[in-house]
Amino acid sequence: MSRKEPEIIVCDGSLPLYSRAAAAFMALVRAFQEEKGRVNVALCGGSTPLPLYGILASEPFRERITWDGVRFFWGDERCVPPEHEQSNYGGAAAVLFEKTGVEEKNIHRIKGELGQEAATAYELELKRAFGLGAGEFPVFDLMLLGMGADGHTASLFPHSPALDEEKKMVTSQYVEKLASRRITLTPPVIQKAANIIFLVMGAEKAPALRAVLEGPFDAHALPAALTLKAEGRVRWFVDKPAASLLSVAHSKTL
Ligand code: 6PG
């Protein structure tokens, strides 16, 4: 399969970035609902996506999206209870689910409170929810991803053993520099997503963004680079500070 080049959308400020990302989210949700009556979305964690979730839960998006057809999953989770302030599920529940009335049956959270066992539990949840046979991977219709200043994405951190995982869908990693355990989808699952939308903001991420998009390929040093081998469409919604080191040819500013 010929891989498509990632699309870099440089936005002049947070409001244009989130508005365009929300429009892209809504367009994808509608297209998949029209095609198959439902859409499987993997949310990402961290702070960057929260304003997007808030915009989706507000007018005009809230009314225009048929939420009942959307099944929510996560690309990663911290090993904390759902009510913990660090919970990726907790952030989305507060900002998105409570305001859009997403039903429990459509929320497939990673049970971070189980610790290491959460990885096995989530793998079973994915097999059941996607009706997977042996050796099959889930194909998310849309996966949201962020990127850290070190080039990590989901909870795949530089030089993590999880970056070489080819069989499991979900792994648990103890992240030394965060002194915490994380649960994350593995590279094959991320690379199979039909659509990936990155949300990257801030000057502190500019060196990693340039290294991922314009430097030599090294997904061990820069895990976000594994999406350069993704099978689907990859769009990067970035603000000007994060894009400040990119070559002009690479990006269009909106
Ligand atoms: C997480 C995320 C992680 C995040 C990046 C960027 O659980 O923290 O999945 O990959 O996207 O760390 O985080 P910020 O958006 O907070 O900068």
Side-chain angles (χ1 to χ4, degrees):
M1 166 181 288
S2 66
R3 300 199 188 287
K4 302 182 200 74
E5 281 294 304
E7 299 161 62
I8 321 303
I9 301 105
V10 179
C11 300
D12 187 5
S14 57
L15 189 57
L17 186 146
Y18 287 121
S19 308
R20 283 179 176 80
F25 181 101
M26 181 170 74
L28 283 169
V29 163
R30 283 181 164 178
F32 281 105
Q33 284 177 328
E34 207 165 292
E35 179 194 325
K36 59 180 186 173
R38 72 178 181 195
V39 54
N40 294 312
V41 175
L43 299 178
C44 69
S47 56
T48 303
L50 294 176
L52 170 64
Y53 302 157
I55 286 176
L56 291 169
S58 313
E59 300 316 319
F61 294 99
R62 182 177 55 196
E63 292 309 310
R64 293 184 184 175
I65 294 173
T66 308
W67 293 99
D68 190 41
V70 186
R71 297 200 307 176
F72 288 96
F73 300 81
W74 275 263
D76 69 327
E77 185 57 279
R78 293 80 182 277
C79 286
V80 294
E83 66 278 5
H84 191 283
E85 62 172 8
Q86 283 287 316
S87 167
N88 289 338
Y89 156 80
V95 180
L96 181 60
F97 301 148
E98 284 173 17
K99 296 185 175 64
T100 51
V102 172
E103 292 181 60
E104 210 52 41
K105 69 178 170 64
N106 287 330
I107 299 172
H108 304 265
R109 74 177 182 89
I110 300 173
K111 295 183 171 62
E113 66 274 21
L114 300 177
Q116 199 153 340
E117 289 314 305
T120 312
Y122 199 50
E123 180 134 344
L124 289 174
E125 172 73 359
L126 291 175
K127 282 183 178 165
R128 187 195 58 74
F130 283 83
L132 300 175
E136 290 183 329
F137 287 103
V139 178
F140 286 96
D141 300 312
L142 168 58
M143 183 175 291
L144 298 183
L145 288 174
M147 186 187 74
D150 62 356
H152 83 260
T153 193
S155 283
L156 294 166
F157 287 81
H159 309 298
S160 159
L163 290 164
D164 294 317
E165 180 57 59
E166 294 177 352
K167 291 193 171 43
K168 290 180 185 168
M169 305 178 214
V170 190
T171 64
S172 161
Q173 302 295 311
Y174 185 77
V175 184
E176 288 293 341
K177 69 177 180 181
L178 299 176
S180 67
R181 180 166 290 280
R182 296 282 191 97
I183 307 296
T184 187
L185 293 182
T186 57
V189 176
I190 293 172
Q191 290 171 329
K192 282 192 176 305
N195 292 274
I196 290 174
I197 287 181
F198 271 101
L199 303 168
V200 180
M201 298 172 73
E204 73 279 7
K205 299 185 180 180
L209 191 63
R210 176 177 59 181
V212 166
L213 295 177
E214 299 183 354
F217 178 78
D218 184 351
H220 280 85
L222 297 158
L226 69 87
T227 61
L228 298 175
K229 294 186 174 179
E231 296 179 15
R233 182 182 183 188
V234 181
R235 281 176 279 184
W236 293 75
F237 288 87
V238 301
D239 68 1
K240 278 191 166 179
S244 58
L245 298 178
L246 294 182
S247 66
V248 175
H250 226 307
S251 55
K252 60 185 179 200
T253 301
L254 297 168

